């Protein structure tokens, strides 16, 4: 039984290592190419500058076109350096991509009762071009994908678990779907 649990952990550790290398390598190497990327970064910069994290502002005007979670996470990751750079603006999305890969691993492992299925599913997700592209851009799409993956996984686990764990998984399901 210990060999199986070591196998799960070893496969997950290998998957996390490969994913971190792929997702975080030269993360800040490119600047902000798109006006949308600049808009999110500037909104986070204004949050840090004014200290108003409740109502986002862009160019001094209230900006309510997108949910503020991405701007909050950019501001949080930029607190350590004191300024927003392409690297600090992309860290939250790379972390969301990593969480998505881990969730897909767990989902595949539980769905097929085989840790190798989860490992291969995580690698396939990592090798998807659009997934990789959106994990390195400053857009809300990667956060949305992460919440969708988490929602599907927690619902499945809540549906197939015993009564004690069911409540926990369904609470996580409702949090991630919100």
């Amino acid at each position: 039984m210990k060999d199986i649990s070591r196998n799960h952990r070893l496969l997950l550790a290998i998957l996390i290592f490969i994913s971190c290398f792929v997702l975080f390598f030269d993360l800040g190497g490119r600047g902000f190419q798109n006006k949308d990327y600049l808009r999110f970064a500037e909104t986070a910069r204004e949050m840090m500058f004014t200290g108003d994290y409740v109502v986002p502002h862009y160019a001094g005007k209230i900006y309510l076109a997108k949910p503020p979670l991405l701007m909050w996470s950019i501001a949080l990751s930029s607190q350590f350096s004191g300024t927003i750079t392409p690297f600090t603006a992309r860290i939250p999305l790379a972390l969301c991509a990593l969480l998505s890969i881990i969730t897909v691993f767990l989902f595949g492992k539980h769905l097929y009762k085989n840790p190798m299925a989860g490992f291969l599913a995580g690698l396939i997700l990592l090798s998807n071009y659009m997934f990789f592209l959106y994990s390195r851009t400053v857009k809300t799409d990667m956060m949305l994908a992460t919440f969708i993956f988490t929602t599907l996984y927690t619902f499945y686990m809540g549906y197939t678990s015993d009564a004690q764990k069911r409540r926990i998984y369904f609470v996580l399901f409702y949090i991630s779907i919100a």
Side-chain angles (χ1 to χ4, degrees):
M1 193 68 169
K2 287 186 178 182
D3 292 334
I4 294 172
S5 67
R6 283 187 197 148
N7 192 14
H8 291 189
R9 290 184 183 123
L10 179 64
L11 286 174
L12 182 60
I14 291 170
L15 183 63
I16 289 172
F17 178 75
I18 292 169
S19 299
C20 284
F21 179 75
V22 169
L23 294 172
F24 290 98
F25 180 75
D26 198 28
L27 189 61
R30 295 178 297 130
F32 299 114
Q33 297 89 2
N34 192 324
K35 64 180 179 178
D36 289 334
Y37 310 162
L38 286 170
R39 184 177 306 124
F40 291 124
E42 175 61 22
T43 305
R45 189 195 68 75
E46 288 188 25
M47 282 181 176
M48 289 174 56
F49 181 72
T50 62
D52 184 9
Y53 291 92
V54 177
V55 180
H57 289 81
Y58 174 67
K61 297 179 182 174
I62 294 176
Y63 178 72
L64 300 174
K66 296 286 184 178
L69 183 61
L70 177 60
M71 285 78 90
W72 290 339
S73 61
I74 292 171
L76 180 66
S77 69
S78 300
Q79 287 293 328
F80 302 109
S81 66
T83 184
I84 295 177
T85 64
F87 178 74
T88 60
R90 290 183 179 117
I91 285 176
L93 299 161
L95 289 174
C96 282
L98 182 63
L99 180 62
S100 295
I101 291 168
I102 293 169
T103 304
V104 166
F105 169 81
L106 294 172
F107 198 13
K109 182 183 84 162
H110 288 288
L111 189 63
Y112 294 106
K113 311 274 189 280
N114 186 352
M116 187 55 78
F119 179 76
L120 292 175
L123 283 180
I124 290 169
L125 180 62
L126 179 63
S127 68
N128 184 316
Y129 172 72
M130 291 306 289
F131 180 83
F132 175 75
L133 178 70
Y134 281 119
S135 71
R136 300 177 70 85
T137 58
V138 185
K139 293 179 87 173
T140 58
D141 298 334
M142 184 51 62
M143 282 190 166
L144 178 64
T146 301
F147 286 121
I148 289 171
F149 287 135
T150 308
T151 299
L152 291 172
Y153 174 67
T154 54
F155 179 79
Y156 173 78
M157 292 302 291
Y159 188 74
T160 59
S161 295
D162 58 353
Q164 280 185 328
K165 291 182 181 179
R166 181 171 292 146
R167 285 191 179 118
I168 295 169
Y169 281 119
F170 279 137
V171 166
L172 292 173
F173 164 73
Y174 288 119
I175 290 170
S176 60
I177 203 168

